[in-house]
């Protein structure tokens, strides 16, 4: 593969402060030391970049005005048009990020992903455009709320962000120029030190996400949870998939999130769509159902029939 080009991805909604932050970054000698930088802007806001103020002169501006233009061919062409050290993308908040991920050339690697939002409209966007909000929060490393009022409800902001990501940091930029960071403790809702970690019905979504993000931490742990079975012929008689349907933001995105479970002997009595209470040890390893990357494989210890949970679809809140 060719030399990897780092991509700095600025996401968020109109007037959230993306352009302003790019301007400040490119004026900073700490960030901009003359690297050949391609800046791709995917929306037009009130602020405009002033290239004359950048500390380095090796900066190339390009625009992608329509989502249909966001293709592998077009991005590859932009990369070949300029000799580059890095790329900055100011992404349109109305476009889903999967469109960008699928269009990125192989050697364009996202180095940092940040979301910017006006604190005064953050809750309105979350209420009225929840799917877009979740899309921008799920993979970001930093959430920056600009124009933060003194009355901001940090607990509510924390809950919204944590409903999508446990790793994203949250910062608050106030009109007087000072910055505060989210320091709300965020303990997991289960005892990580227990010999058998019980995952309550209402905590499945949180547990599955944490397991996905922190597989090394969960490797070797024994868990007990309630799930619905999916029998897969390719797994044979000794194995099945157990999990729950999870809703991230709305009914349209409900999807089954399950884990491969292997027993030492056939478990023919467990049928497709059965609800069971499963006790198993987590073993992170390669498995054909997970593709090329290792994943959590459950080593079955015990199972028993179970009634459905009160809420069949697991959520984060």
């Amino acid at each position: 593969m060719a030399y990897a080009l780092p991509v700095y991805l600025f996401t968020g909604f109109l007037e959230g402060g993306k352009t302003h932050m790019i301007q400040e970054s490119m004026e900073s000698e700490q960030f901009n030391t003359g690297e050949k930088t391609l800046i791709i802007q995917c929306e037009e806001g009130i602020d405009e970049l002033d290239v004359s103020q950048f500390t380095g002169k090796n900066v190339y501006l390009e625009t992608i005005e329509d989502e249909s233009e966001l293709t592998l061919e077009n991005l590859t062409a932009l990369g070949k048009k300029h000799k580059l050290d890095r790329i900055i993308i100011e992404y349109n908040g109305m476009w889903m990020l999967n469109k960008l991920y699928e269009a990125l050339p192989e050697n364009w690697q996202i180095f940092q992903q940040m979301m910017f939002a006006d604190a005064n409209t953050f809750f309105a966007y979350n209420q009225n455009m929840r799917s877009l909000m979740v899309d921008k929060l799920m993979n970001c490393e930093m959430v920056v709320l600009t124009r933060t009022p003194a009355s901001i409800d940090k607990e509510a902001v924390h809950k919204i962000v944590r409903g999508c990501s446990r790793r994203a940091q949250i910062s608050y930029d106030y009109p007087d120029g000072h910055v505060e960071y989210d320091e709300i403790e965020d303990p997991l809702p289960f005892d990580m030190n227990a010999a058998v970690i019980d995952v309550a019905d209402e905590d499945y979504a949180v547990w599955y996400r944490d397991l996905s993000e922190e597989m090394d931490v969960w490797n070797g742990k024994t868990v007990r949870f309630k799930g619905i079975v999916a029998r897969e012929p390719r797994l044979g008689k000794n194995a099945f998939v157990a999990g729950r349907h999870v809703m991230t933001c709305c009914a349209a995105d409900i999807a089954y999130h399950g884990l491969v479970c292997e027993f030492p002997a056939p478990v023919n009595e467990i049928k497709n769509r059965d609800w069971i209470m499963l006790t198993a040890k987590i073993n992170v390893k390669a498995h054909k159902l997970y593709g090329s990357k290792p994943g959590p494989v459950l080593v079955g210890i015990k199972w028993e029939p179970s009634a459905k949970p009160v809420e069949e679809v697991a959520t984060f809140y």
Side-chain angles (χ1 to χ4, degrees):
M1 187 177 72
Y3 169 72
L5 289 171
V7 176
Y8 295 83
L9 179 55
F10 291 69
T11 74
F13 303 105
L14 198 63
E15 309 310 325
K18 300 189 296 294
T19 305
H20 179 73
M21 181 57 68
I22 293 173
Q23 182 74 39
E24 283 193 349
S25 298
M26 294 301 293
E27 290 181 13
S28 168
E29 293 182 356
Q30 294 179 321
F31 179 78
N32 187 13
T33 58
E35 293 89 347
K36 299 179 181 67
T37 305
L38 170 62
I39 301 177
I40 301 174
Q41 293 187 287
C42 299
E43 66 181 359
E44 183 178 351
I46 294 177
D47 293 336
E48 294 184 2
L49 292 175
D50 184 357
V51 179
S52 67
Q53 299 300 310
F54 293 172
T55 59
K57 303 304 178 184
N58 299 316
V59 180
Y60 316 100
L61 291 181
E62 298 284 355
T63 59
I64 294 180
E65 298 179 349
D66 192 275
E67 191 175 7
S68 63
E69 300 172 1
L70 194 65
T71 65
L72 173 62
E73 292 74 20
N74 286 343
L75 293 184
T76 300
L78 290 178
K80 291 181 177 179
K81 182 179 178 182
H82 310 286
K83 292 184 177 180
L84 302 174
D85 296 314
R86 63 184 179 183
I87 300 149
I88 294 174
I89 300 177
E90 182 179 353
Y91 200 64
N92 190 314
M94 297 295 108
W95 301 353
M96 300 298 279
L97 279 165
N98 270 343
K99 178 71 173 178
L100 173 64
Y101 297 153
E102 293 171 356
L104 287 178
E106 185 179 3
N107 66 320
W108 290 26
Q109 303 294 320
I110 295 178
F111 181 78
Q112 189 174 32
Q113 181 170 325
M114 297 163 283
M115 176 188 170
F116 295 81
D118 187 325
N120 299 283
T121 58
F122 179 80
F123 295 110
Y125 271 108
N126 183 65
Q127 180 175 355
N128 300 317
M129 299 183 182
R130 176 65 181 168
S131 60
L132 287 170
M133 178 70 79
V134 170
D135 179 64
K136 306 305 179 291
L137 288 174
M138 283 184 66
N139 295 313
C140 73
E141 299 158 64
M142 171 68 79
V143 178
V144 180
L145 294 189
T146 58
R147 307 181 185 93
T148 302
S151 60
I152 188 76
D153 186 344
K154 292 184 178 180
E155 291 279 356
V157 172
H158 182 92
K159 183 177 180 181
I160 290 171
V161 175
R162 287 294 170 263
C164 303
S165 170
R166 288 186 54 81
R167 69 188 181 108
Q169 299 182 50
I170 307 170
S171 73
Y172 299 91
D173 286 10
Y174 290 83
D176 64 4
H178 86 279
V179 176
E180 296 179 2
Y181 294 92
D182 179 281
E183 296 181 349
I184 298 173
E185 292 188 12
D186 196 35
L188 292 168
F190 20 77
D191 183 1
M192 292 293 291
N193 296 316
V196 177
I197 302 172
D198 279 302
V199 179
D201 293 348
E202 62 271 21
D203 296 328
Y204 181 86
V206 172
W207 171 66
Y208 186 91
R209 182 188 60 197
D210 197 69
L211 171 60
S212 301
E213 295 177 353
E214 304 287 349
M215 281 191 283
D216 289 344
V217 174
W218 285 94
N219 192 25
K221 299 283 188 182
T222 299
V223 296
R224 179 166 48 231
F225 67 93
K226 187 181 297 183
I228 189 171
V229 171
R231 297 303 304 240
E232 167 58 60
R234 290 179 295 166
L235 296 179
K237 297 180 179 180
N238 292 31
F240 53 84
V241 177
R244 295 274 302 276
H245 287 86
V246 175
M247 180 173 69
T248 302
C249 63
C250 58
D253 74 1
I254 294 175
Y256 181 69
H257 293 282
L259 303 164
V260 175
C261 180
E262 300 176 335
F263 273 83
V267 281
N268 296 324
E269 59 270 45
I270 301 179
K271 306 301 182 185
N272 196 47
R273 301 194 64 80
D274 280 351
W275 282 94
I276 64 171
M277 182 66 75
L278 177 64
T279 303
K281 185 175 182 179
I282 298 171
N283 183 10
V284 177
K285 65 177 185 178
H287 194 281
K288 57 186 175 184
L289 248 59
Y290 295 147
S292 59
K293 295 182 179 179
V297 175
L298 303 177
V299 180
I301 298 173
K302 178 184 177 182
W303 73 272
E304 53 190 351
S306 176
K308 299 177 181 179
V310 174
E311 298 291 342
E312 291 190 42
V313 176
T315 63
F316 292 97
Y317 30 76

